[in-house]
Amino acid sequence: MKKAFFSSFLFAAAALSPAFSQVKSEQLMQVPNIEVAGFAEMEVVPDEIYFSISLREYYTDEKNQKDKVNISTLEKQLIKAVADAGLPKESLSISGVGGYQNYVDKKKKPATFLENKQYELKVASPEKLDGILSKVESRGVQYANVARVDHSKKEEFKKQVKIDALKAAKTKAEYLVASLDQKLGKVLEIKELDENLYFPQPVFAKANVRAFAAESADAVTDSEVQYQKIKISYRMQAAFEIK
């Protein structure tokens, strides 16, 4: 008998649960409230610049395919240059390995296979690059491009932008309610509407960066890369009670 009564009680509670939920929602809807969206944006200069560098083997005597400069020699030069620049060894990593056929006569089969390697170099400012690559054999540098940029405190900035967007929503709600001679009450609901992160992708499209720098001593230092900014924006929605 007790089991039957308990089962009946559970069934009744389950049946009433949606009704209770609906009543609660209707009660909340009856509370005078205002719902607004706030927007905030921040622009920051990147302090992490990732360069993609490619080194390739070559012959000093290209015509006769003699005196090859090995990739290991070029890599040692690059590693030493990074260390001399005061950067930690973790700043440089290998991102790819490949090679290409070296033709003396295109009508004949290639006599040699020359290796190339791609690296990713992380620096705080672009002017570091020329000083590093100037210590690597120029003919061994295939290209050096800015692959991406970032900021070490990006997550902190995102939090701050969210807070600013929420404050903007509250300010908007306050002056709208005040225009009706009312006062703002407690917050009822908060929602994140969207997020926008913009990362500029500048590129130095020069095969030989040292030759490029020789043409203009300030080419790297005055590049727009140091002025381009990361844009972080958020839109927050909030509902407040109207007293």
Side-chain angles (χ1 to χ4, degrees), residues 172-213:
K172 184 190 292 185
E174 284 175 337
Y175 69 69
L176 288 175
V177 170
S179 68
L180 300 175
D181 298 323
Q182 299 289 323
K183 291 184 178 180
L184 205 65
K186 63 183 180 180
V187 61
L188 301 176
E189 187 178 49
I190 295 174
K191 289 182 180 179
E192 292 184 23
L193 293 182
D194 55 45
E195 171 189 12
N196 178 38
L197 296 178
Y198 169 69
F199 296 91
Q201 300 295 321
V203 174
F204 292 114
K206 291 285 183 177
N208 189 329
V209 177
R210 284 187 63 191
F212 175 48

Side-chain angles (χ1 to χ4, degrees), residues 54-56 71 96-100 114-118 142:
S54 180
L55 302 181
R56 64 178 177 181
I71 196 70
V97 178
Y100 61 99
L114 297 179
E115 185 180 353
N116 59 31
K117 264 189 180 183
Q118 290 75 49
Q142 190 171 15

Side-chain angles (χ1 to χ4, degrees), residues 111-210:
T112 58
F113 179 84
L114 297 179
E115 185 180 353
N116 59 31
K117 264 189 180 183
Q118 290 75 49
Y119 304 84
E120 184 175 77
L121 176 64
K122 175 184 173 183
V123 296
S125 57
E127 55 265 22
K128 284 276 188 183
L129 182 66
D130 184 51
I132 291 172
L133 292 184
S134 66
K135 298 180 180 180
V136 180
E137 292 292 338
S138 61
R139 289 180 62 186
V141 180
Q142 190 171 15
Y143 64 79
N145 297 333
V146 177
R148 59 192 176 95
V149 296
D150 209 336
H151 200 288
S152 57
K153 296 183 179 180
K154 182 180 66 180
E155 292 305 316
E156 294 180 29
F157 294 148
K158 288 169 67 175
K159 290 178 183 178
Q160 186 58 52
V161 173
K162 286 183 184 181
I163 292 171
D164 292 343
L166 192 56
K167 287 181 177 179
K170 183 181 179 182
T171 299
K172 184 190 292 185
E174 284 175 337
Y175 69 69
L176 288 175
V177 170
S179 68
L180 300 175
D181 298 323
Q182 299 289 323
K183 291 184 178 180
L184 205 65
K186 63 183 180 180
V187 61
L188 301 176
E189 187 178 49
I190 295 174
K191 289 182 180 179
E192 292 184 23
L193 293 182
D194 55 45
E195 171 189 12
N196 178 38
L197 296 178
Y198 169 69
F199 296 91
Q201 300 295 321
V203 174
F204 292 114
K206 291 285 183 177
N208 189 329
V209 177
R210 284 187 63 191

